[in-house]
Amino acid sequence: MEFFPIEKMQKDHDLGLNKIIYNRGVRATTTADLLQHTDTLIFDLVPSKIFINIGSNDVGFNVPEKIFLENYDNILKRIKEKLPDSKVFVMAYYPMSGTGTDFDDRSNSDLQKANEKVRQLAEENGYQFINVNEGLADSEGHLRSDLTFDGVHMLPAGFEIVLKNLMPYLT
């Protein structure tokens, strides 16, 4: 996720990790964009663990589901081929606010449907699908308003929750 300040958080908190964490999220990136830049965004780092959170923009930009899922599958297959020893975690999409956002082109319902398809791709490729969203949503399942500045992108407090939920997978 573009605004996730994981590098800063790793410096500010004693996470007890012996690895450096990089966030390679780029604004408005789609699965097609990631496919074009896998060397720079993934392979050049030769990471031991990869956490993938890509595709919500595909949903929002109305990329046909068939293309979105083919791209995602190709990303996972490339990783398996080029980095067979890397542990890959396919992440569930973060919730978004219910109304009043500039992102009327997507909904939590759309993201949940995409989650199920992405979960299947993860399983088919032998990777683990994880959901680190506990604590982000209100009682209606929408991103808590105190955790976002635009209804979709989170403030640091939201990413603190995500980091806490990610810790079992980082160690």
Side-chain angles (χ1 to χ4, degrees), residues 28-171:
T29 298
T30 64
T31 54
D33 299 322
L34 180 55
L35 270 172
Q36 287 182 322
H37 301 284
T38 52
D39 287 338
T40 304
L41 295 174
I42 301 173
F43 302 131
D44 289 352
L45 293 172
V46 191
S48 60
K49 292 183 180 181
I50 301 168
F51 294 82
I52 297 181
N53 186 339
I54 187 78
S56 62
N57 288 326
D58 292 72
V59 173
F61 298 160
N62 295 311
V63 173
E65 183 179 271
K66 182 179 188 308
I67 293 171
F68 155 58
L69 294 174
E70 284 176 2
N71 288 345
Y72 210 124
D73 192 44
N74 285 332
I75 291 165
L76 297 177
K77 285 182 177 10
R78 283 188 188 180
I79 292 170
K80 185 174 290 211
E81 177 186 321
K82 292 194 174 206
L83 298 171
D85 296 327
S86 294
K87 190 160 182 152
V88 176
F89 299 92
V90 175
M91 297 175 66
Y93 299 114
Y94 302 128
M96 58 180 284
S97 293
T99 58
T101 73
D102 291 332
F103 297 90
D104 293 336
D105 49 5
R106 67 191 88 171
S107 69
N108 280 323
S109 175
D110 294 335
L111 294 175
Q112 286 303 326
K113 289 175 190 168
N115 272 338
E116 288 310 312
K117 305 283 183 169
V118 169
R119 176 193 304 270
Q120 287 177 314
L121 289 177
E123 290 172 3
E124 289 169 9
N125 283 281
Y127 295 135
Q128 186 174 356
F129 180 85
I130 62 171
N131 185 330
V132 294
N133 299 342
E134 184 178 335
L136 296 177
D138 62 19
S139 62
E140 296 178 11
H142 302 299
L143 180 60
R144 290 178 17 208
S145 61
D146 62 315
L147 300 178
T148 182
F149 60 90
D150 64 1
V152 171
H153 298 98
M154 285 187 280
L155 294 165
F159 288 118
E160 289 283 347
I161 293 169
V162 172
L163 177 59
K164 177 181 157 269
N165 295 338
L166 271 173
M167 285 306 296
Y169 304 102
L170 293 171
T171 57

